Amino acid sequence: MTLTRKLKNWVVLNERRHNLVRFSQFYPMKQIRKSIRDRNMRNIYPLTVESKEPPKRIAIETTNYCNTSCKFCPHSRMQRKLEHMSRSLYDKVIKEVVELGTKEVSLGFIGEPLLDVHLFDRIKVAKELGMYVNVFTNGILLDEDKANKLLLSGVDDVFISVDAYNSNRYKEMRSTGKYEEVVKNAKYFINQKRQLLLKKPNINVGMILLDEKDRKHKHQFLKEWKEADNIHARTPHAWANRVSTLDMKEIRQLNLPCYSLWTHMAVLSNGTVVPCCMDIEGELKLGDVNKESLKDIWNKSKQLKALRTVHIGGKSNKIPLCEKCDVLESQTLPWWYFE
């Protein structure tokens, strides 16, 4: 096992130690975080209403259909119309992503990408335009045919949400899908990449930590998926209080601006543009790519400028969606971000 892999495994298994680094109130640790945060906020995420850089990544929701209902996901409560993004709209969006200067796209937002019959064509288009492409899947539909197509599509990152450490726990988390089938699909995907001597995609396998019972089985999960390129064990979002059944600890309030407003954007299946992954209903609508370009939305959207102004002023709790955001609990912010 390489040193890099050992370090990755250490981070997965030692959640408490990792959080100690993130949240420690020990004065030297706070100063280290502050120094790195101040530097990165100036150089990477400049806190100005006008953004000088394009988004680092844009999510394109090619479909918002899903083939399962999960305890930790708000999809079953979503009020938006279920639909696949049209091919013409996708072609418009992906070309405008390139024009905007963004280098990375996620083909998915809320939904299962493998339900999109045009997924492999969409990946091909994005790769021909020089994009770095990642896809998130629950693995239920990742049979041998789709696995081989995905492996040969040119996709750069694939994240497979296995989520549970055994069949019984899987049933507790999801209403449909078979744990054994998902494991079989994921194992085939990993082994086939090795058989074909492929350098990519980077294969990530994820575990969801709903409670202490899951945390006790992280070693077991890590051993089971040691052949994957990366393993993630993460606490899920409560999706701005849309999922209330989670064993969530105290949500740490952070009076720093949300850096997603300067680094990310998402295009929903109907063309609505939203600022972050928490906005599954399109409440904070920045614009509509059916009527305007992504570049205009990113540079001229009054709604986006208003959101940034509120966050810069330390009043993000005045925005209902931001007030209820629990993104810190899901450990998706960089370790230096905490005060």
Side-chain angles (χ1 to χ4, degrees):
M1 185 181 292
T2 65
L3 177 60
T4 300
R5 186 51 189 267
K6 287 181 179 179
L7 288 172
K8 288 180 179 179
N9 290 354
W10 183 89
V11 171
V12 171
L13 291 173
N14 294 276
E15 180 186 3
R16 291 181 181 177
R17 295 178 190 176
H18 182 51
N19 284 344
L20 182 64
V21 172
R22 292 153 61 93
F23 303 127
S24 172
Q25 294 302 299
F26 184 49
Y27 183 75
M29 194 66 243
K30 289 179 67 175
Q31 291 303 109
I32 290 172
R33 289 199 303 265
K34 183 179 185 303
S35 175
I36 296 175
R37 185 171 62 248
D38 289 348
R39 182 192 66 199
N40 287 355
M41 284 299 189
R42 286 194 305 271
N43 300 331
I44 304 176
Y45 314 119
L47 300 186
T48 57
V49 174
E50 303 284 347
S51 178
K52 299 179 181 179
E53 299 290 334
K56 304 294 182 185
R57 183 174 67 191
I58 293 178
I60 305 175
E61 186 183 67
T62 62
T63 181
N64 61 3
Y65 281 91
C66 192
N67 55 344
T68 188
S69 178
C70 300
K71 184 177 181 180
F72 49 83
C73 178
H75 186 276
S76 60
R77 303 168 181 81
M78 187 177 70
Q79 300 299 309
R80 279 194 293 129
K81 176 185 175 183
L82 295 177
E83 58 187 325
H84 302 294
M85 179 178 282
S86 70
R87 297 190 70 169
S88 59
L89 180 58
Y90 174 80
D91 289 342
K92 178 181 186 294
V93 171
I94 197 67
K95 288 176 182 176
E96 291 183 359
V97 170
V98 175
E99 291 171 3
L100 184 54
T102 296
K103 304 297 183 182
E104 180 179 348
V105 290
S106 293
L107 298 188
F109 185 70
I110 185 165
E112 170 52 48
L114 289 177
L115 287 171
D116 173 19
V117 297
H118 302 301
L119 177 64
F120 305 113
D121 290 334
R122 300 192 205 264
I123 294 172
K124 180 181 178 181
V125 171
K127 291 305 299 179
E128 287 176 347
L129 291 172
M131 302 302 299
Y132 188 95
V133 182
N134 56 61
V135 170
F136 292 73
T137 175
N138 57 38
I140 295 173
L141 298 175
L142 194 63
D143 57 22
E144 291 188 10
D145 178 57
K146 289 186 176 67
N148 287 314
K149 287 180 179 178
L150 193 56
L151 283 169
L152 298 175
S153 68
V155 66
D156 297 281
D157 271 310
V158 175
F159 192 106
I160 306 173
S161 298
V162 175
D163 296 336
Y165 51 86
N166 63 29
S167 180
N168 289 334
R169 188 56 171 158
Y170 188 87
K171 289 177 182 177
E172 292 173 2
M173 289 185 176
R174 288 193 172 146
S175 63
T176 56
K178 294 182 179 180
Y179 174 77
E180 293 80 7
E181 195 69 25
V182 171
V183 169
K184 176 186 174 183
N185 291 345
K187 294 281 188 182
Y188 176 84
F189 193 70
I190 293 169
N191 292 332
Q192 191 69 352
K193 175 191 172 183
R194 186 182 299 109
Q195 289 291 323
L196 296 174
L197 303 178
L198 299 174
K199 293 184 178 180
K200 62 179 183 180
N202 188 49
I203 302 175
N204 306 269
V205 175
M207 178 186 185
I208 290 290
L209 306 175
L210 289 183
D211 52 35
E212 197 58 37
K213 181 165 56 174
D214 296 312
R215 293 181 177 88
K216 290 179 180 178
H217 287 84
K218 280 197 290 185
H219 282 274
Q220 175 186 333
F221 191 88
L222 189 67
K223 184 178 180 180
E224 174 74 14
W225 296 101
K226 61 183 179 181
E227 301 300 329
D229 295 309
N230 289 295
I231 301 170
H232 302 264
R234 59 192 177 89
T235 305
H237 298 296
W239 297 91
N241 279 358
R242 289 191 177 92
V243 178
S244 59
T245 57
L246 304 181
D247 178 25
M248 306 296 288
K249 294 184 175 66
E250 176 188 359
I251 295 176
R252 297 173 178 85
Q253 295 298 320
L254 194 68
N255 62 0
L256 292 171
C258 179
Y259 78 136
S260 290
L261 295 175
W262 285 267
T263 60
H264 293 77
M265 203 160 52
V267 184
L268 304 185
S269 53
N270 63 0
T272 296
V273 179
V274 296
C276 73
C277 61
M278 292 293 102
D279 194 3
I280 64 170
E281 298 288 4
E283 298 173 37
L284 302 177
K285 182 177 178 180
L286 304 182
D288 185 343
V289 288
N290 292 292
K291 303 174 182 177
E292 50 196 322
S293 70
L294 273 178
K295 182 178 288 188
D296 283 345
I297 293 172
W298 181 251
N299 293 320
K300 300 178 182 179
S301 169
K302 293 180 180 179
Q303 173 72 323
L304 180 55
K305 291 180 180 180
L307 288 172
R308 287 173 177 164
T309 299
V310 172
H311 274 253
I312 291 171
K315 298 179 180 180
S316 59
N317 61 350
K318 301 298 182 183
I319 303 169
L321 192 70
C322 300
E323 178 189 19
K324 298 174 183 177
C325 183
D326 67 320
V327 70
L328 301 185
E329 286 299 316
S330 64
Q331 302 182 36
T332 57
L333 286 174
W335 67 272
W336 46 261
Y337 205 79
F338 301 85
E339 291 190 320

